[in-house]
Amino acid sequence: MHIAIIGGGAAGCFAAISLSRTCRHADITVYESGSKPLAKVAITGGGRCNLTNSFEHVKSTATAYPRGERLMKRLLRDFGNREVCQWFENEGVRLVTQDDGCVFPRSQNAMEIVNTLTRLMHKGGVKVMTHHRATRIRRDDADGRYIITFADENTAERKADMVLLATGGSKKRAPLETLVGTDIETVEPVPSLFSLCLPGDDITELTGTVVEEVTASVAGTKWKAEGALLITHKGMSGPAILKLSSYAARALHDCDYKTTLNINWLGKENEEGAGRLLEALAAKNPRKMVSTVCPECLNARLWNCLLQRWGVNTALRWTEIGKKGMNRMVNGLTNSTFKVDGKNNFKEEFVTCGGVSLTAINSNTLESRTSPGLYFAGEVLDVDAITGGFNLQAAWTMAHVAAKAMAEKASALENMGGKHVGSLH
């Protein structure tokens, strides 16, 4: 039996290892379009590989997975973050969990994860074929097997009894075009993890400034996110912005990334709370200039930049600020507005919203409802997550579930004397 895995990323390689342990007589081949497998894993988490999350700071599955929440809630019961941690530790990878819940190898080196997975694929006899970009997957009506066509005309077509498509997220639709002719429904992919550009805004002069807890929202919508904010030379980034971009991915795409961004610099604090904070500052520092005393969550440079933005005279003392000036500061602290025009990818990590529709698969096995023997795992499905290790967790989880289902089907086929996959659908 030949099992083909299209895509040598986290999901594809993890599934290959799982299958090599459960389908010992199968010929398992990973077809990777690039020059080496696991290239994205090598750069994730800033090269440290944030391979999962403790989920301790996540209110619900939907908080972590804006798309695919119901599916992930089901699958995580089978193979969740604890199982992932145990799996890697059993393979000799020591892990450390940060205060924010992010889990990294203790070595802080993503190559430890890459090398571990590569070693286990080799040990399990998995073949890895690089520079093999699949362009089409179709069923052979004669024997029910799958025929895989590649971009390189000099590369012969390959046949497989079962196929796992794990091509990940992509800036282009090309990976989904391999399914043309299969009647499998897909959702147009768009970016879902990126920073926001604020061209011409003076606040970009404060590059590198971090505010630990803000609430960021898209004006006029329900989309909002909390967390740290980082000011960059092009605009704003950091966990709050990245989460917001994930939640509002399709809405931001539809408006061509031109919108109004609202920032509450005090996190969850409302106007009433902001007023009390400023009144306390005024009472404690009546003779000092407004520019020299700021809320603890802001530094002096950012505070002065914001005061000027709000039209507050920075030369005034706190006793001179008046009700109008105080109202401007209250409103500014809880609802500063910025004009967004464009986006930037988050480092080199590219995540997409969209892919194979979840209505097209069996949620228990990740097998196509219309093409028996064709499975999906990872970001090729319309599942994506916020930053913090949740996307890799989804890759490990879905790879495990798909591989388990494929192994069970392979076993059933052997018991039936090698009949084709379609016999079991």
Side-chain angles (χ1 to χ4, degrees):
M1 171 174 287
H2 180 213
I3 298 175
I5 297 175
I6 312 300
C13 292
F14 198 80
I17 294 167
S18 297
L19 284 164
S20 72
R21 293 173 172 178
T22 52
C23 298
R24 297 187 183 278
H25 302 300
D27 173 21
I28 303 166
T29 305
V30 175
Y31 297 100
E32 164 58 33
S33 63
S35 60
K36 55 186 176 182
L38 300 165
K40 191 173 178 181
V41 173
I43 63 172
T44 188
R48 297 188 297 142
C49 193
N50 183 186
L51 57 88
T52 185
N53 195 284
S54 69
F55 284 71
E56 291 179 3
H57 305 292
V58 178
K59 296 177 182 178
S60 67
T61 311
T63 304
Y65 297 96
R67 283 150 294 273
E69 174 263 334
R70 292 178 64 185
L71 176 67
M72 287 307 303
K73 188 173 183 178
R74 175 197 296 265
L75 300 185
L76 285 168
R77 296 193 194 106
D78 188 355
F79 196 75
N81 59 307
R82 292 178 182 175
E83 287 78 13
V84 166
C85 290
Q86 188 64 59
W87 192 95
F88 278 100
E89 289 187 332
N90 287 344
E91 299 302 335
V93 179
R94 296 294 168 257
L95 306 176
V96 59
T97 303
Q98 297 183 165
D99 291 341
D100 61 1
C102 295
V103 179
F104 292 87
R106 187 172 294 175
S107 64
Q108 300 290 297
N109 186 355
M111 289 309 298
E112 182 178 9
I113 303 300
V114 172
N115 293 336
T116 296
L117 296 175
T118 302
R119 172 178 58 82
L120 292 174
M121 283 194 292
H122 178 74
K123 180 180 178 181
V126 175
K127 300 182 183 68
V128 179
M129 307 292 289
T130 57
H131 300 291
H132 277 63
R133 181 168 68 83
T135 57
R136 190 181 178 193
I137 303 169
R138 68 185 191 278
R139 290 282 297 281
D140 186 334
D141 294 333
D143 61 12
R145 302 178 75 203
Y146 283 95
I147 302 172
I148 305 167
T149 305
F150 299 94
D152 186 352
E153 295 179 356
N154 296 318
T155 300
E157 292 182 332
R158 304 295 172 90
K159 271 196 169 186
D161 297 282
M162 288 190 286
V163 176
L164 173 67
L165 190 63
T167 48
S170 174
K171 299 178 183 180
K172 301 177 182 179
R173 190 179 169 81
L176 298 180
E177 291 178 352
T178 60
L179 301 172
V180 170
T182 62
D183 295 326
I184 295 174
E185 182 184 354
T186 61
V187 180
E188 192 68 26
V190 301
S192 70
L193 191 64
F194 48 84
S195 57
L196 299 175
C197 295
L198 309 175
D201 199 299
D202 291 344
I203 202 164
T204 57
E205 296 177 8
L206 304 179
T207 299
T209 298
V210 175
V211 181
E212 292 298 336
E213 191 65 34
V214 308
T215 296
S217 58
V218 178
T221 75
K222 64 179 181 180
W223 307 116
K224 66 178 181 179
E226 300 161 1
L229 180 144
L230 168 67
I231 298 173
T232 72
H233 69 291
K234 289 188 176 181
M236 291 183 176
S237 188
I241 299 300
L242 296 173
K243 283 193 284 186
L244 181 65
S245 75
S246 182
Y247 296 148
R250 200 160 291 281
L252 289 170
H253 173 268
D254 291 345
C255 69
D256 196 26
Y257 308 100
K258 293 179 174 61
T259 189
T260 299
L261 173 69
N262 293 339
I263 300 294
N264 182 338
W265 299 100
L266 302 180
K268 299 179 182 179
E269 197 65 81
N270 57 22
E271 290 187 355
E272 185 178 346
R276 287 195 299 269
L277 183 152
L278 293 175
E279 287 169 2
L281 287 178
K284 189 175 181 180
N285 306 278
R287 303 302 301 167
K288 292 184 178 180
M289 289 190 294
V290 176
S291 61
T292 63
V293 179
C294 63
E296 290 184 4
C297 60
L298 308 177
N299 64 33
R301 288 186 66 207
L302 177 56
W303 175 242
N304 276 272
C305 175
L306 293 175
L307 288 175
Q308 293 175 31
R309 187 183 197 92
W310 303 333
V312 176
N313 187 345
T314 56
L316 293 177
R317 301 181 189 279
W318 278 96
T319 55
E320 303 169 334
I321 199 66
K323 185 176 181 180
K324 183 178 291 187
M326 191 68 79
N327 287 340
R328 285 180 179 175
M329 287 191 287
V330 167
N331 183 65
L333 281 173
T334 57
N335 192 35
S336 283
T337 61
F338 300 88
K339 291 297 181 183
V340 175
D341 189 355
K343 63 173 178 58
N344 276 315
N345 291 345
F346 178 47
K347 299 177 182 178
E348 296 176 22
E349 302 172 39
F350 193 85
V351 177
T352 55
C353 152
V356 173
S357 172
L358 300 187
T359 61
I361 62 168
N362 181 319
S363 60
N364 293 313
T365 63
L366 304 184
E367 184 179 19
S368 165
R369 292 185 183 278
T370 57
S371 299
L374 178 58
Y375 295 78
F376 304 92
E379 211 181 315
V380 71
L381 287 166
D382 188 15
V383 176
D384 63 281
I386 60 175
T387 184
F390 300 103
N391 279 298
L392 271 182
Q393 174 65 56
W396 314 131
T397 295
M398 287 191 274
H400 170 85
V401 171
K404 180 180 176 182
M406 294 171 79
E408 290 174 353
K409 178 162 284 193
S411 177
L413 284 170
E414 289 180 1
N415 293 335
M416 293 175 63
K419 291 185 178 181
H420 64 76
V421 170
S423 304
L424 293 178
H425 194 69

